[in-house]
Amino acid sequence: SLDHYVAVLETFERVASFGYKRIGFIVSKMTGRVQHRWEAAQLMFQKLHPDQDCIPPLEGAYDRDRFLRWYDKYKPTALICQTLEWAEYLHEEGLRCPDDYGFATLSQETVPSQRAAFKEGALSRQFDHTAGMDQNSFFAGRCSVELLAQDIALNIKGVPKKSKMTLIDSEWSDGDTLREQD
């Protein structure tokens, strides 16, 4: 599976390298499925970078009012998230990426389908070349097949007594959703 901790930590590092000091993090409801590695990475980033303003993560951004209250309270200069469901809310408020805030995705693979759901072309164009992590999903699939083939070749059947995990590195992609800060 994806090394979620490293992917999130590196994303924070990359966003901070552009000079962003107030990085907001929107976590999905799946965070429990990845043993809260996303939040752990954010906490480590904040420990390693005491010059950064600490913004508590927002779990899900599906509710417009809840998201905008969080955004107005903490005023992030950049956002990290796996999805774009919040982008229409900021667009409706007159905010544009990257002019008013930066953005990095944790899942490059999902951005095209999310952009396709936007009703307004101007909003979609803001995310044409999104900065963020490619989760290497195809490579992860190949690794899964290799592990299954190994178990078949070794005649390993049933649920193993001890679990094993293969962690897949993600890869950073530069994009137009981040710009150097003063």
Side-chain angles (χ1 to χ4, degrees):
S1 80
L2 175 70
D3 190 337
H4 290 274
Y5 178 85
V6 170
V8 171
L9 184 58
E10 185 177 346
T11 302
F12 269 95
E13 295 282 352
R14 295 286 188 140
V15 172
S17 75
F18 282 84
Y20 293 101
K21 296 287 185 193
R22 299 185 54 74
I23 304 171
F25 188 34
I26 304 168
V27 299
S28 73
K29 297 197 184 276
M30 73 168 272
T31 189
R33 286 192 350 222
V34 295
Q35 293 83 35
H36 301 281
R37 288 182 173 105
W38 291 6
E39 294 96 327
Q42 181 188 25
L43 288 171
M44 181 53 70
F45 171 78
Q46 290 170 344
K47 181 180 179 181
L48 295 171
H49 299 276
D51 61 318
Q52 288 283 325
D53 291 336
C54 294
I55 296 177
L58 173 68
E59 185 175 315
Y62 310 107
D63 180 84
R64 183 184 196 281
D65 293 334
R66 186 170 157 265
F67 170 78
L68 290 175
R69 279 193 307 275
W70 175 83
Y71 190 87
D72 289 340
K73 180 176 182 178
Y74 297 105
K75 299 180 180 13
T77 54
L79 296 170
I80 295 173
C81 187
Q82 188 164 356
T83 62
L84 290 170
E85 75 264 2
W86 49 269
E88 286 187 277
Y89 309 149
L90 292 182
H91 191 73
E92 291 164 358
E93 296 294 312
L95 299 173
R96 304 295 181 257
C97 181
D99 299 331
D100 301 308
Y101 64 92
F103 172 67
T105 183
L106 294 173
S107 181
Q108 283 282 1
E109 297 93 335
T110 63
V111 170
S113 62
Q114 294 174 43
R115 283 182 49 243
F118 292 145
K119 296 176 182 98
E120 192 174 325
L123 175 58
S124 181
R125 283 188 294 281
Q126 291 176 42
F127 300 96
D128 273 347
H129 303 288
T130 305
M133 288 295 179
D134 178 335
Q135 295 185 2
N136 287 318
S137 299
F138 291 110
F139 180 70
R142 281 197 310 263
C143 287
S144 297
V145 171
E146 287 173 9
L147 290 172
L148 179 60
Q150 179 184 24
D151 284 355
I152 291 170
L154 296 173
N155 200 28
I156 297 173
K157 299 176 183 173
V159 178
K161 292 179 182 172
K162 301 270 186 193
S163 64
K164 59 184 174 182
M165 184 183 304
T166 300
L167 295 177
I168 307 297
D169 287 332
S170 53
E171 292 179 51
W172 177 260
S173 292
D174 287 321
D176 298 334
T177 55
L178 296 171
R179 66 168 49 151
E180 293 294 330
Q181 302 297 292
D182 298 329

